[in-house]
Amino acid sequence: QAQLVESGGGLVQPGGSLRLSCAASTSIFGIITMAWYRQAPGKERELVASITIGGDTIYADSVKGRFTISGDDAKSTMYLQMNSLKPGDTAVYYCRYRTVGMNYWGKGTLVTVSS
């Protein structure tokens, strides 16, 4: 079974930018949606952004205008461009791909926004 691996996390100052990537260990066929979630300490995992194969996107209100999701289902890759980062964006970020009958999750990458 394919595995997802996130990369690009790290420590950044408020106002800075990071670009997260998600790649699959092998090609995943039949992807319907690709999404980024995050989980901050002591909080539940929440949806950050999602994109369908048709290119329709959804963003959490807290990241609208700052984050941009993009994906290439043919290459089973996905990105999250994060600008104007705030301390409240600090969390472990997870990627998820959904196909018919299957959900694939990565193990997460830590993003810390702090001065």
Side-chain angles (χ1 to χ4, degrees), residues 69-80:
I69 187 172
S70 60
D72 186 338
D73 63 294
K75 296 181 179 180
S76 300
T77 57
M78 179 176 62
Y79 305 95
L80 184 69

Side-chain angles (χ1 to χ4, degrees), residues 42-105:
K43 295 187 177 181
E44 295 186 353
R45 190 173 298 188
E46 63 174 356
L47 175 67
V48 176
S50 68
I51 185 168
T52 68
I53 297 308
D56 295 325
T57 57
I58 295 175
Y59 293 94
D61 287 343
S62 59
V63 307
K64 282 181 182 177
R66 301 188 297 122
F67 291 10
T68 302
I69 187 172
S70 60
D72 186 338
D73 63 294
K75 296 181 179 180
S76 300
T77 57
M78 179 176 62
Y79 305 95
L80 184 69
Q81 178 66 44
M82 305 187 295
N83 299 327
S84 302
L85 283 160
K86 305 175 181 179
D89 296 317
T90 294
V92 177
Y93 285 71
Y94 300 89
C95 61
R96 189 206 76 180
Y97 295 173
R98 184 170 70 88
T99 66
V100 175
M102 289 286 290
N103 271 301
Y104 298 84
W105 286 92

Side-chain angles (χ1 to χ4, degrees), residues 30-49:
I31 294 174
I32 301 171
T33 61
M34 308 165 86
W36 288 97
Y37 287 76
R38 68 186 180 186
Q39 187 167 18
K43 295 187 177 181
E44 295 186 353
R45 190 173 298 188
E46 63 174 356
L47 175 67
V48 176

